[in-house]
Amino acid sequence: MKNILIPTVLEKDTLASVESAISYANGQNFDLVLLLLNETDNAYSASAYLRNSKPAFSASQQKTLEDCQRLALKFDNIKLHVQRQSSISAPLLRNLLSVLEIGFVIVPKSFRESSKKINRHCLGLLANSHCPILNLCDAPTSEMQKALYLEYAESKLQVSDLQQRLDGKFAFRIVSQARINKQEERSLDQLLLETITRNDIDLLVETRKPTKVKLGKKFPSFHDDLKLPVLSVFEEIR
Amino acid sequence: MQIRKKVAVTYVALSGLSTLLLCAVMVFLFKNNNQYYFLKRLQDRAKIVSSIHYQNDPEKAEYYRQLKSNGLEELIDENDFVLPVNGKNSFEYNTELNLSPEFFKEALANGSSWVEDDSRYHYAQLFEENGKKYIVVITARDRRGNTSTMYIIRIMAIGGIAFLVLAYFLGRFLANTVLNPISRINGEVKRISASNLHKRLEQPENTDEIAVLTDTFNDMLDRLETSFEIQANFINNASHELKTPITTIMAETEIILQSKRSPEEYQEALSHINAQATKLGNLTESLLKLTRTGYDGNKQVLDVARMDELLMDVKSDLDKLFPDNNISLRLDEMPDNDEYLLLPCNRPLLELALSNVISNAVKYSDNSVVFVALMADSKQLSIRITDIGIGIPKEDLPFLYEPFFRGKKASRYTGYGLGLPLAFKIIRMHNGTLDIQSEQEKGTMATITFKRSGSDSL
């Protein structure tokens, strides 16, 4: 099995991400990599950079890290690593994912909402990687059984193709599908909420296509209101 | 303002503007061209005058004079002046010439200059011979150039007005050509009313915007007709179909209320009433569902169902309704890939459609064997329902999907003629097809196919 990457700002929800990763692994051996990104100031020399950089964690961050380590220690099949990066770029991330043999990325909500430029840049770069990305919500359930597929109008991936692609990697089953038109996505909110309640859906699945990484104003996604984790699967442009 | 007039006026305005622009450019270029050639002639004369002036030999000078007067075309009011240059900025001025100092300055600086004053041209050129400089000034009137410019302006003005008149008629012709198909559609649509909703607009052979508009109108008429038909059928047939159970219920209650009855009699009467009320309920529900199938399917959130599971659910429901049925679910042609069995659908409605088709097969074959086969591959998913029942007469086949239609042979079986039309609508709503092949007294084969190409959603 390939390893799991969790980009994090070491907020409390990192622990939930680790739990999700453990649940996903289902007893198989894997390495869990916590990716910590630091923004660095410009320095005129290496020694000045070392003097100015602040690698120390705050008390709450330290506690979260210890909790994660404690949780990982309970399982023999998991090895927890902490990867610290002071800069990130597309080739750097690509090589990092390749070297660490990452096959799945779990993004905690706190990281997604982080206003740090480097974190947002990293999210944009991750979205262009081929790894499936699980965007967690506030209170994710560790067991994900039933999924709702959000099929965007421009997507070419049909539900059977998607299920085929995901089979063997994930335990959930797609039980509902909604065709989403970007212009009218809000009009479906009520219908989606009804379907989620009726079919006990605990995961949303969507596809994403490579896009240009932009660091502009972040608009809230329509599925933030649905309060469910979203699994984003990379779709090749054909 | 009518669109017809708007198109004509816009056409006239645009053509007028473009013609005006073209005329202006042509007049400008024509005038420039005239000027260029006239100055060229003045330049030739200046060179000859310079040669005459510098010939020491009187014979040669005479020769040049002859060449100038006989060899070159005569100019009107032609005059030439030779002004020797004394210093850097001074020369011998001729008082006959009434020209601005700038004119001479430019000639001294650039070697030549010209100026036009009421169609009279003055051309000056600087010459140098044996270290001596002098300015030759040639003046002449270009009456012909001016006249021809005026002439061409007149032609263009008259032509322009004539063209505008022509453009008006052409614009009207264009507006008529463009709008006639719309007027035709308008006329045809006006003729369609609630009483003749079956009429359709004539479909043009090409695939232009008018054909698309016609198509859209026809689609809208399809939907309107269906909706009217359902309403009309509901009103016309509800009295017939719903009257029977209601009358039975009323008669049953009247009889039972006439005198005191034993508890067994009450129980029997109530069970009859219950059966009739259930029938009534089912019928109204079927009708309501039939009207609902006209909804906009694109805005649906769909269930992703596995077809084999769905068929098993349908079979288990039918087992309760027809305990003696002989449905054989054949899943031996199943694909290796389970994902091919997935279909985004409205599960309750699709279940109802399949249930209707299979229950028809059970009903009209008197509980003899009914095969339900499921086949799926990467391109399509199909369900084949085969029975060895009474079959459908050929003459009934075109009316199978009409609500409340009951075949001659089918009249001895209970039913309302609503099941198959409803199933057909639901299947069509899922981008599927329902194909029925039948031979009388031999059996019927219904094939439901869902294509997987492109978009598989509703």
Side-chain angles (χ1 to χ4, degrees), chain A residues 158 164 167 175-177 191, chain B residues 299 302 304 337 339 344 452 454:
Chain A
Q158 294 178 21
Q164 206 173 338
D167 253 11
V175 293
S176 295
Q177 173 196 334
L191 264 173
Chain B
K299 279 198 173 177
L302 302 171
V304 177
N337 203 334
E339 278 73 38
R452 213 182 284 281

Side-chain angles (χ1 to χ4, degrees), chain B residues 41-192:
Chain B
R41 287 164 75 186
L42 294 184
Q43 197 178 6
D44 292 344
R45 278 168 164 75
K47 279 177 186 166
I48 291 174
V49 169
S50 135
S51 300
I52 294 167
H53 183 74
Y54 254 90
Q55 289 306 321
N56 290 326
D57 188 352
E59 267 184 33
K60 275 188 182 174
E62 184 55 32
Y63 165 75
Y64 277 118
R65 211 166 279 123
Q66 288 285 331
L67 175 73
K68 184 171 170 278
S69 54
N70 301 330
L72 297 177
E73 200 182 333
E74 196 185 354
L75 294 177
I76 303 158
D77 291 348
E78 188 188 343
N79 259 322
D80 50 67
F81 306 91
V82 179
L83 313 172
V85 178
N86 301 326
K88 197 182 174 189
N89 282 322
S90 68
F91 58 91
E92 287 174 22
Y93 188 67
N94 192 320
T95 47
E96 281 179 47
L97 284 167
N98 190 18
L99 291 167
S100 67
E102 283 76 25
F103 172 75
F104 295 105
K105 267 185 193 169
E106 196 188 333
L108 284 170
N110 302 335
S112 70
S113 71
W114 66 272
V115 68
E116 189 209 344
D117 175 26
D118 191 21
S119 80
R120 186 175 188 84
Y121 284 81
H122 305 272
Y123 178 79
Q125 193 166 356
L126 186 69
F127 288 94
E128 191 173 355
E129 192 79 37
N130 300 331
K132 269 190 155 186
K133 283 183 182 177
Y134 54 95
I135 299 168
V136 175
V137 180
I138 309 285
T139 67
R141 194 176 287 278
D142 181 21
R143 199 185 294 154
R144 215 161 124 195
N146 214 22
T147 317
S148 53
T149 309
M150 283 310 292
Y151 182 65
I152 205 148
I153 286 174
R154 218 171 292 149
I155 288 175
M156 294 227 167
I158 295 165
I161 291 164
F163 181 76
L164 281 183
V165 175
L166 183 68
Y168 175 71
F169 288 106
L170 286 175
R172 287 198 57 148
F173 174 72
L174 176 76
N176 282 341
T177 319
V178 172
L179 294 173
N180 268 354
I182 296 175
S183 304
R184 181 182 58 81
I185 290 175
N186 191 31
E188 281 183 44
V189 171
K190 269 184 187 166
R191 277 205 299 278
I192 298 171

Side-chain angles (χ1 to χ4, degrees), chain A residues 17-236:
Chain A
S17 309
V18 175
E19 280 168 5
S20 291
I22 293 165
S23 157
Y24 165 75
N26 208 12
Q28 295 184 63
N29 288 329
F30 75 98
D31 287 3
L32 188 58
V33 183
L34 295 182
L35 178 68
L36 289 161
L37 298 158
N38 290 326
E39 271 172 352
T40 50
D41 297 324
N42 288 333
Y44 53 85
S45 72
S47 56
Y49 165 74
L50 287 172
R51 271 199 305 280
N52 295 335
S53 63
K54 294 169 191 160
F57 295 130
S58 68
S60 64
Q61 281 181 320
Q62 188 65 41
K63 188 179 176 304
T64 309
L65 189 60
E66 280 166 14
D67 287 346
C68 292
Q69 278 164 338
R70 213 170 296 129
L71 182 66
L73 279 173
K74 287 183 189 169
F75 298 89
D76 296 334
N77 57 324
I78 298 169
K79 280 183 198 163
L80 186 75
H81 300 283
V82 175
Q83 175 75 30
R84 304 191 67 151
Q85 283 293 131
S86 293
S87 64
I88 199 84
S89 65
L92 190 63
L93 186 75
R94 195 168 54 238
N95 291 339
L96 196 67
L97 293 178
S98 156
V99 167
L100 297 172
E101 293 179 4
I102 301 296
F104 185 35
V105 180
I106 299 176
V107 183
K109 195 180 178 199
S110 56
F111 186 83
R112 221 170 42 251
E113 287 178 348
S114 163
S115 56
K116 275 168 83 177
K117 202 175 164 188
I118 190 167
N119 290 344
R120 284 170 58 200
H121 186 52
C122 178
L123 265 184
L125 296 175
L126 276 173
N128 283 344
S129 74
H130 287 226
C131 284
I133 300 171
L134 179 66
N135 291 303
L136 291 182
C137 58
D138 280 330
T141 50
S142 50
E143 290 287 311
M144 288 165 194
Q145 299 287 333
K146 291 180 174 177
L148 165 70
Y149 173 37
L150 304 171
E151 188 190 11
Y152 293 111
E154 65 273 20
S155 171
K156 298 254 187 325
L157 212 59
Q158 294 178 21
V159 69
S160 47
D161 305 331
L162 182 69
Q163 186 79 53
Q164 206 173 338
R165 195 181 280 198
L166 296 174
D167 253 11
K169 290 182 192 157
F170 297 94
F172 65 81
R173 185 181 157 184
I174 297 173
V175 293
S176 295
Q177 173 196 334
R179 197 163 173 79
I180 310 276
N181 194 331
K182 283 273 181 200
Q183 285 83 37
E184 296 172 358
E185 54 189 24
R186 291 277 166 192
S187 65
L188 269 180
D189 275 4
Q190 196 55 39
L191 264 173
L192 288 174
L193 279 171
E194 273 174 28
T195 312
I196 288 165
T197 323
R198 195 180 65 229
N199 293 349
D200 295 328
I201 283 163
D202 39 30
L203 177 70
L204 302 175
V205 182
E206 65 172 16
T207 55
R208 65 175 194 276
K209 288 185 176 178
T211 49
K212 198 176 173 188
V213 180
K214 286 179 186 167
L215 292 175
K217 197 179 172 188
K218 187 179 175 274
F219 294 100
S221 168
F222 83 100
H223 39 50
D224 284 353
D225 297 342
L226 302 174
K227 298 192 182 351
L228 281 178
V230 183
L231 178 71
S232 170
V233 180
F234 187 80
E235 185 183 345
E236 303 272 357

Side-chain angles (χ1 to χ4, degrees), chain B residues 229 290 357 360 364 390-410 416-425 434-439 443-447:
Chain B
E229 209 172 80
L290 189 65
V357 179
N360 273 356
Y364 297 115
I390 58 168
I392 305 162
K394 267 189 181 168
E395 61 270 23
D396 286 354
L397 279 171
F399 308 105
L400 281 183
Y401 305 124
E402 284 189 12
F404 294 100
F405 173 78
R406 302 281 288 144
K408 284 172 204 159
K409 289 251 173 185
Y416 304 103
L418 287 175
L420 204 56
L422 182 61
F424 176 68
K425 270 180 175 293
L434 171 61
D435 177 45
I436 293 181
Q437 292 173 328
S438 185
E439 205 168 324
T444 306
M445 186 169 80
T447 315

Side-chain angles (χ1 to χ4, degrees), chain B residues 236-362:
Chain B
N236 291 337
N237 297 291
S239 52
H240 173 255
E241 298 287 345
L242 305 180
K243 206 166 68 183
T244 324
I246 291 172
T247 318
T248 323
I249 290 169
M250 281 166 70
E252 194 83 39
T253 46
E254 272 171 24
I255 292 165
I256 207 80
L257 287 172
Q258 270 171 3
S259 58
K260 262 198 165 181
R261 307 281 173 180
S262 65
E264 289 78 27
E265 280 177 313
Y266 279 124
Q267 204 166 4
E268 197 188 341
L270 281 174
S271 65
H272 282 159
I273 292 168
N274 183 41
Q276 294 300 327
T278 315
K279 216 180 203 181
L280 195 62
N282 286 342
L283 183 60
T284 37
E285 202 184 337
S286 299
L287 285 167
L288 281 175
K289 275 180 181 161
L290 189 65
T291 46
R292 266 183 59 196
T293 49
Y295 68 78
D296 180 11
N298 287 323
K299 279 198 173 177
Q300 286 290 303
V301 178
L302 302 171
D303 306 308
V304 177
R306 267 185 72 125
M307 194 46 81
D308 52 343
E309 286 178 5
L310 205 123
L311 282 173
M312 278 182 218
D313 286 352
V314 169
K315 187 181 175 329
S316 94
D317 286 346
L318 289 176
D319 285 346
K320 284 175 206 154
L321 273 174
F322 306 98
D324 301 327
N325 78 66
N326 204 350
I327 300 169
S328 163
L329 206 56
R330 302 187 69 169
L331 304 175
D332 44 354
E333 287 182 61
M334 292 272 276
D336 297 334
N337 203 334
D338 283 357
E339 278 73 38
Y340 292 150
L341 295 172
L342 293 177
L343 183 77
C345 61
N346 184 323
R347 192 179 168 123
L349 280 182
L350 194 62
E351 216 173 282
L352 183 83
L354 290 171
S355 171
N356 278 345
V357 179
I358 300 172
S359 67
N360 273 356
V362 172

